[in-house]
Amino acid sequence: MCVNNAVPIPPVHVTQGDVLVLNVRNSLDVPTAVHAHGIYHNYTDYYDGAEMVTECGIPPGENFTYIIDTTTQAGDLWIHGHVHSQLTDGFRTPFIIHEKIKPSTYDEEKLLYFEDWNERAFKDMVAIDAKLKLADFPPSYRTMLINGVNANTSKSLHFEPRKRYRLRIMSLSTSSWIKFRMPGHTMHVISKDGVEAVPMEVDGLDLGPGQRVSIIVTAHDTTEFNYMYNVTLYANFIPLYPGLMPRHYSGLIEYQKNAPLASIPTVDDAQLVWNDVINMQARDRMPLLPVDRQIVLSIKQFTPEHGIPYYSFGDYAFNHSLVPILFTALSMGELASNSSVYGPQAQAHILQYGESIELLVYNDNSKDHSLHLHRGEYQVVEVGPYGDAVANNHTAVEFQKSGPSPMRCDVVTVRAYSYIKLRFHVNRGMVALFHCHMMHGGYFGLAATFIAAPELLQKHVKVPEEVIRMCKLRGIKTSGNAAGNEGFDMTGLPTPFLVNRE
């Protein structure tokens, strides 16, 4: 996919306080929607870009304008499609909100973003996998793009002696993890997903789909040598195959043209310090939140006869309602505080204004998952083993607790056969999607919705007429329960897919 006939899609840069106006013309033959990943939206949920959650999407041939206020945010975000598999098929680009006051002193900044890539469209891959009955799809081996081009032809990083560089490192991957190293250089992580961190020295970065960090690197004193940076593309659910999984790439850190490469000893990954979020601390020193209520989500998987696995956080795989979830919350009055009106396929949880929520996510599953919360961020407070990792040929996750000021982020990895605890405070009304950012998880049901303080949504949200017009053009209702009916009448709502069959 391309935007304005450009491939790669150019990154978007603004300064904190700007209002970004995205004028979108849908030239596809299917609907689209645009999600500014990491933006909070203060009672402008209808600009979040999650099709059939906060809007109806943009019909083919139509125009729509997203208005994104950056007054309260800065850092490393990204923009991507949020309809079907458009993200995987290439609708994605970095979105940088430059701080008015730098979080650290540096002389220059550079952007490095990594993407996994497949020559087939996602829907074609699914069709092939279903025909072959490959339960651990996708078996196809991705290649990597660096800054939107083939990783084998990417440009060098140019360093000047003694300069301090801020490198914005982003994983726009949809099915693979990224490991990044700069042997011979010291890296300090200063932010995660746009949230400033107490600087943490690391040897390498390990980023799941959708995760972003900024690091500070100080160049060497001389131009005597050039160096290499190393990138590994991997996924624990794709079979190992020499040269294909994992894939290894490298790029030049150039101090001087034609200078010899420095000789750096090889070190095993297990001996290195990585950017494990549980060991990071938030720079603002926000303390560990208390727990008013715990919500338990357990990742389930069921593989039907056609061979493609479905996932869920509860009994049913997430699927779209007949009415966008936001519009149900706005139109159902007091019933909006009853999760039943959203239907079982929404996996809806009602949150009260002012409460602090702990999410306890269990992953008794052979796959790692990258979990994203729309419209906010959470503290990462605890991780540990769950299920029998060793018996299933996986390395057991060690039990760890955060420090007194846990790092906050909007995407986190929950490893195979492990659990994770996340905490956040409900400070406004909102409809927020919580989902796996790997396409094979999110596309096949691994999502839930949080409807926070629906009474405040009804008081403060005024949906623009242009948003309503998009729905009318698609023939989608903008009021009623999940089925577009009154009360608890779910007549017409498709039967949700049952995943938890224990």
Side-chain angles (χ1 to χ4, degrees):
M1 296 180 67
C2 67
V3 172
N4 296 341
N5 296 316
V7 177
I9 301 170
V12 176
H13 292 266
V14 301
T15 300
Q16 185 176 9
D18 290 344
V19 175
L20 175 64
V21 179
L22 290 177
N23 295 310
V24 181
R25 168 73 176 177
N26 183 9
S27 298
L28 303 171
D29 58 3
V30 294
T32 193
V34 182
H35 174 52
H37 180 127
I39 287 291
Y40 300 153
H41 294 291
N42 186 19
Y43 293 115
T44 56
D45 304 55
Y46 41 78
Y47 289 141
D48 187 48
E51 184 206 25
M52 296 309 295
V53 177
T54 58
E55 63 166 271
C56 294
I58 309 168
E62 291 295 327
N63 301 326
F64 183 77
T65 299
Y66 292 90
I67 299 175
I68 299 169
D69 188 350
T70 69
T71 301
T72 62
Q73 292 183 251
D76 308 327
L77 286 67
W78 58 308
I79 291 172
H80 61 78
H82 216 293
V83 175
H84 301 304
S85 60
Q86 291 173 8
L87 164 60
T88 295
D89 294 337
F91 189 0
R92 54 196 180 191
T93 196
F95 173 29
I96 308 300
I97 304 176
H98 294 272
E99 302 90 344
K100 288 186 175 179
I101 301 175
K102 293 181 179 179
S104 180
T105 57
Y106 53 88
D107 302 301
E108 188 179 337
E109 66 175 58
K110 296 179 182 290
L111 172 64
L112 275 177
Y113 60 99
F114 305 106
E115 306 167 74
D116 52 4
W117 187 252
N118 194 292
E119 62 182 15
R120 298 188 186 97
F122 183 79
K123 64 181 179 61
D124 296 330
M125 293 164 53
V126 171
I128 292 170
D129 294 338
K131 183 178 180 180
L132 297 177
K133 295 188 177 181
L134 297 171
D136 283 329
F137 105 96
S140 49
Y141 294 95
R142 277 109 168 106
T143 56
M144 180 185 285
L145 306 180
I146 299 179
N147 288 2
V149 301
N150 188 309
N152 293 315
T153 61
S154 59
K155 295 180 179 179
S156 302
L157 277 179
H158 294 279
F159 272 19
E160 296 180 28
R162 293 178 295 280
K163 270 193 172 183
R164 278 172 60 90
Y165 290 92
R166 176 180 184 168
L167 301 185
R168 300 179 185 267
I169 311 293
M170 310 178 73
S171 170
L172 310 192
S173 152
T174 61
S175 291
S176 307
W177 271 249
I178 306 293
K179 284 186 175 181
F180 175 81
R181 292 196 59 223
M182 300 178 69
H185 295 79
T186 300
M187 301 188 295
H188 289 89
V189 178
I190 62 166
S191 74
K192 166 85 167 74
D193 296 350
V195 180
E196 294 180 12
V198 175
M200 175 182 177
E201 184 175 331
V202 298
D203 300 309
L205 305 175
D206 191 353
L207 303 178
Q211 299 179 24
R212 303 90 63 203
V213 299
S214 275
I215 61 173
I216 296 293
V217 179
T218 301
H220 292 289
D221 293 336
T222 73
T223 61
E224 181 181 4
F225 296 105
N226 291 330
Y227 297 79
M228 302 298 293
Y229 67 82
N230 302 323
V231 190
T232 300
L233 182 75
Y234 78 98
N236 79 328
F237 62 92
I238 298 179
L240 298 177
Y241 195 91
L244 295 178
M245 181 56 59
R247 283 185 185 266
H248 301 284
Y249 298 88
S250 60
L252 184 65
I253 304 172
E254 186 177 70
Y255 282 80
Q256 181 174 287
K257 190 168 184 174
N258 298 324
L261 286 175
S263 178
I264 307 293
T266 301
V267 181
D268 186 84
D269 283 2
Q271 301 177 32
L272 302 175
V273 176
W274 298 87
N275 61 311
D276 195 339
V277 67
I278 197 70
N279 296 321
M280 297 176 65
Q281 298 285 292
R283 188 185 181 195
D284 62 9
R285 299 295 185 179
M286 177 179 167
L288 177 69
L289 289 169
V291 178
D292 296 316
R293 181 157 58 104
Q294 185 184 75
I295 296 174
V296 178
L297 302 175
S298 186
I299 296 175
K300 303 290 185 181
Q301 175 180 336
F302 177 76
T303 304
E305 289 184 0
H306 60 56
I308 301 300
Y310 281 79
Y311 300 87
S312 74
F313 282 124
D315 290 338
Y316 296 98
F318 178 87
N319 201 0
H320 291 324
S321 309
L322 299 183
V323 175
I325 293 170
L326 172 64
F327 297 156
T328 294
L330 294 176
S331 65
M332 291 298 289
E334 292 183 359
L335 286 182
S337 295
N338 189 317
S339 61
S340 297
V341 301
Y342 303 96
Q345 81 297 326
Q347 294 293 292
H349 299 267
I350 309 299
L351 311 182
Q352 304 303 316
Y353 177 76
E355 67 178 347
S356 292
I357 300 294
E358 179 174 85
L359 296 181
L360 171 56
V361 183
Y362 290 114
N363 184 20
D364 189 13
N365 188 269
S366 63
K367 300 177 179 66
D368 299 338
H369 292 277
S370 191
L371 305 179
H372 169 46
L373 177 66
H374 281 228
R375 319 268 326 289
E377 59 199 28
Y378 39 63
Q379 294 180 332
V380 183
V381 303
E382 186 176 309
V383 297
Y386 179 71
D388 198 340
V390 176
N392 289 282
N393 199 30
H394 284 262
T395 301
V397 172
E398 294 183 1
F399 172 79
Q400 288 182 284
K401 283 191 172 184
S402 69
S405 304
M407 192 59 204
R408 305 188 304 278
C409 56
D410 62 49
V411 189
V412 70
T413 296
V414 56
R415 295 294 184 183
Y417 303 105
S418 75
Y419 74 87
I420 193 165
K421 289 183 178 180
L422 313 169
R423 294 183 189 176
F424 63 91
H425 185 69
V426 181
N427 60 5
R428 66 192 187 282
M430 64 177 179
V431 170
L433 189 64
F434 180 66
H435 67 99
C436 179
H437 223 290
M438 288 192 300
M439 187 54 64
H440 80 274
Y443 190 87
F444 287 96
L446 192 52
T449 46
F450 298 122
I451 296 92
E455 72 282 0
L456 294 181
L457 285 171
Q458 294 170 8
K459 179 179 180 180
H460 294 293
V461 173
K462 174 63 176 175
V463 180
E465 284 300 319
E466 191 62 10
V467 176
I468 300 296
R469 189 175 77 87
M470 296 295 106
C471 298
K472 290 180 178 178
L473 288 171
R474 294 193 62 191
I476 296 172
K477 294 182 178 181
T478 56
S479 64
N481 63 26
N485 302 324
E486 296 182 0
F488 299 104
D489 177 11
M490 291 296 167
T491 303
L493 185 69
T495 303
F497 186 87
L498 181 64
V499 173
N500 185 13
R501 307 198 175 195
E502 296 177 352

